[in-house]
Amino acid sequence: TVMAKGLLAGLLAGLVYSLVEKKNKIVATIVAAIVCPVVNTGVFLAGCSLFFMDTLKEWAQGAGFGTSVATYMIVGLVGLNFVFELVINIVLSPVIVKLVRLGKKENK
């Protein structure tokens, strides 16, 4: 699951960037920055559901979520991490791209 989410997040973010950059590079950077944590978190949740559902049911009940495993997964497992990752990506990705471009200009 870890390998799949990392590979797919990078692959899809790069693909989205390639498709959108022709129109606007900043928008492409931001959209790719959004795609990455969405795919990462989605594959993580899918992997947890496929391979660890019995454990998740126990954890959800133990955490006071009753039989609502989906709510536990969203709130308990990925909620704050997803928001933090999304915000950091949206803020830092354009800055990093700009710095890389400036570095390339200076090395020419």
Side-chain angles (χ1 to χ4, degrees):
T1 301
V2 173
M3 291 292 290
K5 71 186 186 89
L7 289 169
L8 286 173
L11 179 69
L12 292 176
L15 179 63
V16 167
Y17 179 85
S18 295
L19 293 172
V20 179
E21 81 166 316
K22 296 166 188 152
K23 294 182 182 184
N24 187 317
K25 290 185 179 186
I26 294 191
V27 171
T29 301
I30 293 169
V31 172
I34 293 169
V35 166
C36 194
V38 169
V39 172
N40 183 46
T41 302
V43 174
F44 172 77
L45 289 172
C48 285
S49 296
L50 286 172
F51 302 117
F52 303 108
M53 186 53 78
D54 292 336
T55 302
L56 289 171
K57 287 178 183 176
E58 291 177 27
W59 289 0
Q61 289 174 349
F65 287 89
T67 58
S68 183
V69 176
T71 303
Y72 169 72
M73 290 174 69
I74 300 296
V75 174
L77 293 180
V78 300
L80 289 177
N81 182 68
F82 172 76
V83 172
F84 181 73
E85 187 177 348
L86 182 65
V87 169
I88 292 296
N89 280 7
I90 291 170
V91 171
L92 290 183
S93 292
V95 172
I96 292 169
V97 169
K98 182 135 179 127
L99 290 173
V100 168
R101 287 189 182 142
L102 286 173
K104 285 182 179 180
K105 286 180 184 178
E106 289 181 12
N107 288 331
K108 286 185 179 183

